[in-house]
Amino acid sequence: MLNNLLNFPRLNKLAPPKPSPPVPGPSRELKFNVTQANVMYDLAISIRNLIETARADGNDIIVLCIGTDRSTGDSLGPLTGTKLKTLNLFPHIYGTLDDPVHATNLEDKLKFIGSSFSHPFVIAVDACLGKLENVGCVTLGHGSVKPGAAVNKNLPPVGNAYITGIVNVGGFMEHLVLQSTRLNLVMKMADTIAHSLSFGLGRSHAHSQN
């Protein structure tokens, strides 16, 4: 079981004990392996830096978790959204197991966000397929993701920044690969991303913890 990030000792200090990871630049992507001991700490600090920079520019932060629970591999987004809502009172979290954001309603959700916020900064969370050596890695970067690209779905690019989890190997029979992805890995990645996002969004929004 992953540590509860809000009770993670080093994250309760005002200053981190080591230099903060850099904010990913326009052409830079940061990669974190969920099997590494300090992954939650490193990802949380990087997300906090990203969010603080976006807020300083006057943006409204939106977390948009994309995917469906009808496919194990593609459930990373709604699992993350559901876990994040249990950790944090931040109001602008979209895409959960109860109310997923997927291929059939993604464009409507993007229109809603565009009409509801004057300066939205959307952090898109989505599953993806990749090389074998990168399975289990979470990536953080500036720019948009193209949901459904691995399975040839024509969906609009999403996000000003993205967090993607490489859940399985791509390149062949992607639909089957997503359906046969291990739930254990997806749950670990969702826990890591949700706790890291909760810290990055700010403890003032968090539920009290025992």
Side-chain angles (χ1 to χ4, degrees):
M1 179 68 67
L2 292 172
N3 289 330
N4 186 319
L5 186 63
L6 298 177
N7 293 328
F8 199 19
R10 288 192 292 178
L11 291 182
N12 286 329
K13 298 179 181 180
L14 291 177
K18 60 181 180 179
S20 297
V23 177
S27 61
R28 181 171 185 177
E29 183 179 80
L30 303 179
K31 187 179 296 182
F32 308 85
N33 193 311
V34 295
T35 64
Q36 294 177 346
N38 294 325
V39 60
M40 196 181 294
Y41 173 81
D42 292 336
L43 180 59
I45 295 297
S46 293
I47 290 174
R48 183 180 67 178
N49 292 342
L50 177 74
I51 289 175
E52 286 181 349
T53 300
R55 282 176 170 158
D57 292 335
N59 294 301
D60 300 306
I61 305 300
I62 313 295
V63 180
L64 181 61
C65 301
I66 304 164
T68 173
D69 61 351
R70 294 178 181 272
S71 168
T72 306
D74 204 25
S75 65
L76 177 66
L79 277 171
T80 299
T82 297
K83 290 174 181 291
L84 181 56
K85 276 184 170 287
T86 68
L87 293 167
N88 203 297
L89 293 173
F90 186 74
H92 309 314
I93 300 167
Y94 304 102
T96 63
L97 292 172
D98 284 335
D99 188 17
V101 175
H102 43 61
T104 58
N105 65 358
L106 176 61
E107 293 190 54
D108 288 340
K109 185 63 69 176
L110 293 176
K111 290 177 182 177
F112 167 78
I113 292 171
S115 64
S116 301
F117 301 92
S118 55
H119 297 94
F121 185 93
V122 176
I123 302 174
V125 180
D126 197 12
C128 67
L129 301 175
K131 296 180 180 179
L132 177 61
E133 61 267 26
N134 291 328
V135 173
C137 288
V138 173
T139 57
L140 171 67
H142 270 285
S144 59
V145 293
K146 193 73 166 61
V151 289
N152 299 314
K153 290 182 179 178
N154 186 22
L155 297 173
V158 179
N160 304 94
Y162 59 85
I163 302 172
T164 56
I166 303 173
V167 298
N168 214 326
V169 179
F172 181 70
M173 297 182 68
E174 282 84 358
H175 277 291
L176 181 60
V177 168
L178 283 171
Q179 300 248 1
S180 61
T181 296
R182 290 195 64 203
L183 180 60
N184 182 53
L185 174 62
V186 177
M187 291 289 287
K188 285 181 179 178
M189 299 179 85
D191 276 336
T192 300
I193 296 169
H195 281 84
S196 300
L197 272 167
S198 181
F199 176 76
L201 290 168
R203 294 183 61 197
S204 61
H205 297 289
H207 289 286
S208 60
Q209 302 291 316
N210 295 326

